[in-house]
Amino acid sequence: MSFDYDLFVIGGGSGGVRAARIAAGTHGAKVALAEEYRMGGTCVIRGCVPKKLMVFASEYPDMVADARSYGWDARIGGFDWSAFRAKLDAELTRLEKAYRCGLSGAGVTVFDSRAVLVDAHTVKLADGTQVSAKYILVATGGAPFIPDVPGRELAITSNEIFQMDALPSRVLVVGGGYIASEFACILNGLGCEVAQYYRGAQILRGFDDEARGHVAEAMRENGVGIHCGTDVMRLEKVADGIRAVATDGSERVFDAVLYATGRKPNSSGLGLEALGVALGRNGQIEVDEYSQTAVPSIFAVGDVTDRINLTPVAIREGHAFADTIFGGQRRKVDHSLFASAVFTQPEMGTIGLTEEEAREREPIEVYATAFRPMQSAFAGRPDRVLMKLIVSQASRKILGCHIVAPGAGEMIQLVGIAVTMGATKEQFDATIAVHPTMAEELVTMRSPTRRG
Ligand code: NDP
């Protein structure tokens, strides 16, 4: 049977683009890709990239305050959101072009259209054109989800935050995960008055307890009004904004309400169920370790599979898929160990097991130190950083590392190499410290803080 293409990719985000480029550019497959919105997906267009640029923007007031402590006659004026937004838009347009160039350079045919599945080898574009392919890869990502609270239409999500016409003065952030906590810090840094409502006992559930407690405390010190055990009961439009009636009995008016209560896979309306592709409870496409669905010619990678919803993981999945199907090497992605960072202020970098998870599995030693780093101590700021290692008593391997510090994302990337290689505590200790740095603590902690 002959097909129009060897591979048709639905979705031009991190996973889909990588799969298409490797399949076509490296393995010589004939590939097409359809994207209904802007090329680059969540990460580039409305996620990691614009978020990180907003993180940078939000850090300047503290830097200028520090500069004064170091003797500079520095002063910060107001923040011009529209000037920043225009630059942000231009940068995203540049990146989108780079993604398109990468695809065309690899010989991938791009359709700027929605595509849905017709059968196991055929997709239909928005104009009705049908295209056949030996393999179809679904890489449609996910989308923010707002729970069914009265007044939910008054809220915005992380999709809209980069498009705001003006920066709100009073913002409510709902949720306690990555996105909620990051934006609470960003908006606080940009000068907004921020309240964060989280239904649970402590934000950043799933991360190491000590580390997330450290982040929450620092966020509060920096001025974010974190309210745990608090959820929104309803939102109402009032003359001067949006009133949030909360479960703790409070009623407060905000200019904007940002919901960051999780994301759902973009799997509906694609015709998947009719073809026999199994979907999970959250709408995620069920795949095996090679990203293959219940229909042998259909594969899925990235957030639509709801495994580990991180850009580098989607990229790995897309790459492994292309190598497996078109490169003659069966490759799968190990989802059990990955480093990641939460770009709160302060940042948190983490790899491996939390203290709580490790303790459940085997006897461990915990090495932890919290201290005031040189740079901010000199400036008279109260900030403290946390360096923490979880060590297996039996194998001596580092089971987890958790860092809360400026630049923790950069640090954990490097620690991640050692931990992925299976480094032991003694190998960390044998590493000569780089002095004076914050990260040197990771190789100079001699006595365990606790055993268990
Ligand atoms: P998360 O799953 O991290 O957090 C969702 C939050 O919303 C949790 O605090 C959750 O509470 C709360 N929540 C869920 N449902 C409800 C509800 N019905 N009512 C009230 N609160 C609710 O999702 P995010 O949206 O923050 O991020 C999505 C994913 O994107 C992340 O899992 C991550 O993989 C990725 N991401 C990664 C980043 C990074 O690497 N730096 C940055 C941003 C996103 P509870 O804890 O009680 O369940």
Side-chain angles (χ1 to χ4, degrees), residues 239-256:
D240 59 340
I242 302 163
R243 182 191 292 132
V245 181
T247 49
D248 63 356
S250 68
E251 294 191 7
R252 280 177 69 180
V253 176
F254 299 93
D255 301 304

Side-chain angles (χ1 to χ4, degrees), residues 138-179:
V138 184
T140 45
F145 143 84
I146 303 184
D148 207 7
V149 285
R152 66 197 285 279
E153 67 284 354
L154 299 170
I156 58 168
T157 69
S158 57
N159 278 357
E160 291 80 46
I161 195 107
F162 309 110
Q163 306 297 328
M164 290 185 304
D165 292 329
L167 211 52
S169 308
R170 303 159 299 174
V171 188
L172 170 62
V173 178
V174 185
Y178 281 83
I179 298 180

Side-chain angles (χ1 to χ4, degrees), residues 39 44 49 53 90-100:
M39 199 63 72
V44 175
V49 171
L53 291 167
E91 176 62 4
L92 300 189
T93 302
R94 187 187 71 77
L95 287 170
E96 189 181 357
K97 275 203 192 108
Y99 265 68
R100 280 185 186 278

Side-chain angles (χ1 to χ4, degrees), residues 147 176-179 182 198-199 205 231 260-263 309-310 341:
Y178 281 83
I179 298 180
E182 289 181 343
Y198 171 53
R199 64 183 178 180
R205 184 169 65 82
D231 206 353
T261 42
R263 295 171 60 86
N309 297 330
L310 297 173

Side-chain angles (χ1 to χ4, degrees), residues 29-96:
K30 190 176 177 202
V31 180
L33 180 149
E35 167 57 54
E36 64 179 332
Y37 184 55
R38 295 178 68 181
M39 199 63 72
T42 299
C43 171
V44 175
I45 302 300
R46 45 198 175 191
C48 321
V49 171
K51 180 276 305 286
K52 190 81 190 276
L53 291 167
M54 279 181 81
V55 169
F56 291 140
S58 70
E59 287 175 339
Y60 285 99
D62 279 350
M63 285 186 203
V64 173
D66 275 6
R68 273 205 302 278
S69 306
Y70 276 80
W72 289 95
D73 175 18
R75 245 153 269 288
I76 196 149
F79 176 65
D80 185 344
W81 168 255
S82 44
F84 172 77
R85 219 197 97 174
K87 280 206 74 179
L88 183 65
D89 287 345
E91 176 62 4
L92 300 189
T93 302
R94 187 187 71 77
L95 287 170
E96 189 181 357

